Amino acid sequence: MAGNPFFTSSDLPYELPPFADIREEHYLPAFERGMAEQLAEVDAIAGSSEAPTFDNTIAALERSGRILDRTATVFFSVAASNTTDGIMEIEKEISPQLTRHGDAIRLNRALWARIKQVSTEDPEEAWLLEKYREDFIRAGADLSEPDQDRLRQLNEELSKLSTEFAQTLLKASTESALVVSDPKELDGFDQAKIESLLKDGKYVLPLLNFTAQPGLAQLTDRDVRRRLYELSVGRAPGNFGLAARMAALRAERAALLGFPSHAAYVVADQTAKTVEAVEEMLGQLVAPAVRNARKEAEALSEQAGFEIEPWDWSYYSEKVRQARYDFDAAEMRPYFELDRVYRDGIFFAAGKLYGLTFTERPDLGGYHPDVTVYEVFEEDGGRLGLFVLDPYARETKRGGAWMNNLVDQSFLLGQLPVVVNNLNVTKPAAGPTLLTYDEVNTAFHEFGHALHGLFSQVRFPRVAGTRVPRDFVEYPSQVNEMWVTWPEVLANYARHHETGEPMPAELVEKLQAAEKFNQGFKTVEYLAATLLDWAWHKLVPGETVADPEAFESAALEAAQIALPQVGPRYRTNYFAHIFSGGYSAGYYSYIWSEVLDAESVEWFKENGGLTRANGDHFRRELLSRGGSLDPLTAFRNFRGREASIQPLLVRRGLD
């Protein structure tokens, strides 16, 4: 293993990992060496005879673990985006080891004693020092030896269960796919879509992450829609038990650490700070959202001529939009060609706002042939970083869309950022990749995360880019969605893939008129998932759930969000965000962040929209700061005042 590519820094531009040289057999030796090396570094810091200073303690910790960081970053990126049976076996083996490794550092009493003695006058150092102290306390550094031993056991078991949940769900998304023999059953899809689903003589429609599968809006055969919906909500049934076990363990861990529930433990480290603050915000939304959804259900049932079921909602929602607003979302698709959306939409808006340019680097490869690497430049030609795009769905890729870093920006380590955007767009059998409006919106959203990572200007990797509280991280990405239909941007990218003609103005006007319709559904399905997350993570220590499906139903009823025609966006069995994705007791963060987002969109509109001055202000005060200062202070520095919920209520038609 002398030639293990993880043992030294990559010599590719921006330290892009050398994917062409990485093989599965490299991972375990690199993990083992990386953990051993970092523990030796930590022991040297903790056992130093020098008086504790910021540089010899906190900065030294920031410099430690370079091999481990490189290995883990690449491994978990590949595990999410292009996994194999071998990768999944390594993940099962290494996840609990990494948990033990993290505990060995944060529960090191000599190290903790040094950290408590460090002081500094530098504001950025002081903020990072406070973050380290919070991290160690929340990790159990002050607990007794017996309690620390139990904490280690809990952390390790939770790590194993989380990996099992994610891997079970990945397999279920393929195993529970809708399979039909007769293409007539797929009536409603265009021919290119149908051809893309053909596999070994049958047509296979894999499941995406959420409950309301996109096909439900198009498939004309009601029985096929029912089958697709039931496959969606019934997938990975074994995950119910895993989820219940994880929720009980998290409650016990929270109690060990001095919190009444896992929810209280999580929000204490977020911008919300308290359970009460989150519940107050959610409480303002439930009643008007349910009221709107019920009105929408009446309209849909009237259109259908019968009482609709959950598998009918999306289909008849499109019918009502066509009838009321003469709007058919399918009419937009020919104008949304993937490459053009990025080149003339997303990159164009980033150029107008921030002066950025993007150059494709075919000489730089990714972990899969579908991956494209772009070099990003400042207006003056300065190098900013790399943007890596992985747009297509595949069986080896988990569902959803996300951003992650392959290299964190850091002045301390002399690193520029390398950021990845993953989507799950169906790859056509031939011809151009045409996106739905929702997929275009997702692409702009994820690129908002990418900008947050690319613009990072901080000294320390612990606070780089998107390393901010969960209930703040979605805010910059949601702001970037505003440019999807901004006239100057839309006119530049929304052109017919065959004729080059711009999207007709009346189609955009119809979209905007129809946008408020179905907001009741969208808000209810989101809030139902949020409150389900909340119910699981407000369990008190010792409370167990024998029947997770009954618990789920009772939780939605108790929250007054249970509508028979609107399922939660995620049910427990496929709620990867909270049981394998780091959002436990944090799914509320999307709408918490949307309060800030709606305020920010108002600011952009009030100040002239798509201008360099506006982009530079947003970048300077917020995007560049990462987690190097209090997030709400950064928001106030940008907006000039505290946020109000009113713009969000207006946006969602809930005012």
Side-chain angles (χ1 to χ4, degrees), residues 207-218:
L207 299 180
L208 299 186
N209 263 17
F210 27 79
T211 298
Q213 299 295 307
L216 295 173
Q218 300 163 281

Side-chain angles (χ1 to χ4, degrees), residues 127-265:
W127 178 259
L128 180 63
L129 175 59
E130 183 59 28
K131 291 290 102 184
Y132 261 87
R133 287 175 174 158
E134 290 174 2
D135 288 347
F136 273 67
I137 292 170
R138 290 173 59 81
D142 283 333
L143 295 181
S144 66
E145 287 292 345
D147 283 349
Q148 285 190 352
D149 288 342
R150 178 56 183 155
L151 184 64
R152 289 186 180 95
Q153 294 169 2
L154 291 169
N155 288 342
E156 185 169 338
E157 185 173 357
L158 282 165
S159 174
K160 291 177 180 176
L161 292 170
S162 176
T163 299
E164 185 178 352
F165 188 101
Q167 294 188 355
T168 300
L169 181 55
L170 178 63
K171 291 179 180 177
S173 296
T174 301
E175 293 168 355
S176 299
L178 175 70
V179 180
V180 301
S181 300
D182 187 348
K184 292 179 181 177
E185 292 188 89
L186 300 177
D187 181 59
F189 287 162
D190 60 37
Q191 192 58 35
K193 171 76 170 178
I194 293 173
E195 289 173 0
S196 73
L197 302 178
L198 185 60
K199 184 178 180 181
D200 299 328
K202 293 187 181 293
Y203 297 87
V204 181
L205 181 62
L207 299 180
L208 299 186
N209 263 17
F210 27 79
T211 298
Q213 299 295 307
L216 295 173
Q218 300 163 281
L219 293 166
T220 60
D221 188 318
R222 192 180 186 212
D223 187 61
V224 174
R225 294 200 306 271
R226 177 191 59 77
R227 284 157 51 198
L228 177 59
Y229 182 85
E230 290 177 349
L231 286 167
S232 180
V233 299
R235 73 187 109 158
N239 274 355
F240 277 113
L242 295 179
R245 177 64 178 156
M246 291 177 73
L249 294 175
R250 286 169 175 170
E252 183 183 349
R253 182 175 62 183
L256 267 180
L257 295 167
F259 292 88
S261 67
H262 182 70
Y265 168 76

Side-chain angles (χ1 to χ4, degrees), residues 445 474-482 590-591 593-594 597:
H445 175 100
E474 298 298 335
Y475 154 53
S477 56
Q478 289 171 335
V479 170
N480 205 58
E481 295 175 26
M482 73 177 289
Y590 286 91
I591 206 151
S593 292
E594 196 179 345
D597 155 38

Side-chain angles (χ1 to χ4, degrees), residues 297-550:
E298 291 172 7
L300 300 185
S301 295
E302 183 180 341
Q303 177 72 31
F306 54 81
E307 288 295 316
I308 64 163
E309 298 286 353
W311 48 87
D312 298 315
W313 189 293
S314 296
Y315 183 77
Y316 284 101
S317 177
E318 290 303 314
K319 295 295 184 188
V320 169
R321 283 206 268 204
Q322 289 174 30
R324 286 190 182 182
Y325 307 103
D326 191 26
F327 173 71
D328 181 358
E331 292 180 31
M332 304 188 83
R333 200 160 175 245
Y335 297 91
F336 294 145
E337 193 273 320
L338 175 69
D339 290 340
R340 187 154 205 159
V341 166
Y342 274 91
R343 182 183 68 247
D344 298 335
I346 291 171
F347 295 167
F348 172 78
K352 287 288 185 178
L353 267 177
Y354 308 111
L356 303 185
T357 56
F358 299 79
T359 302
E360 188 173 339
R361 292 290 304 265
D363 57 313
L364 298 179
Y367 46 79
H368 188 277
D370 288 338
V371 170
T372 304
V373 180
Y374 298 88
E375 189 168 11
V376 189
F377 296 95
E378 301 276 17
E379 188 172 38
D380 63 3
R383 299 158 64 242
L384 183 61
L386 294 180
F387 172 65
V388 181
L389 177 63
D390 183 0
Y392 292 118
R394 48 185 171 265
E395 290 184 2
T396 57
K397 188 181 196 178
R398 70 175 171 87
W402 67 96
M403 169 269 189
N404 62 279
N405 277 22
L406 290 173
V407 180
D408 289 321
Q409 179 274 328
S410 166
F411 295 135
L412 180 74
L413 303 178
Q415 294 179 165
L416 293 173
V418 178
V419 303
V420 184
N421 272 180
N422 271 277
L423 307 179
N424 259 284
V425 176
T426 300
K427 190 174 185 179
T433 301
L434 302 180
L435 307 183
T436 65
Y437 173 71
D438 284 345
E439 287 170 337
V440 173
N441 209 63
T442 297
F444 273 81
H445 175 100
E446 294 304 329
F447 192 73
H449 285 306
L451 288 172
H452 202 180
L454 286 166
F455 284 151
S456 178
Q457 290 283 290
V458 300
R459 288 164 61 190
F460 306 107
R462 166 67 176 78
V463 293
T466 56
R467 294 190 176 186
V468 296
R470 282 287 189 191
D471 58 7
F472 191 81
V473 74
E474 298 298 335
Y475 154 53
S477 56
Q478 289 171 335
V479 170
N480 205 58
E481 295 175 26
M482 73 177 289
W483 309 117
V484 173
T485 55
W486 194 263
E488 184 180 358
V489 179
L490 188 71
N492 201 60
Y493 78 88
R495 293 181 174 270
H496 198 282
H497 71 99
E498 292 178 335
T499 67
E501 290 295 310
M503 182 182 288
E506 58 268 24
L507 186 55
V508 180
E509 291 166 5
K510 290 174 185 177
L511 166 69
Q512 292 170 337
E515 279 279 81
K516 288 268 174 74
F517 183 77
N518 217 37
Q519 281 297 325
F521 170 87
K522 290 180 179 179
T523 308
V524 165
E525 71 156 2
Y526 168 76
L527 289 174
T530 298
L531 291 162
L532 181 58
D533 168 29
W534 209 241
W536 278 115
H537 293 114
K538 284 194 72 179
L539 293 178
V540 298
E543 187 177 0
T544 58
V545 174
D547 186 341
E549 292 191 73

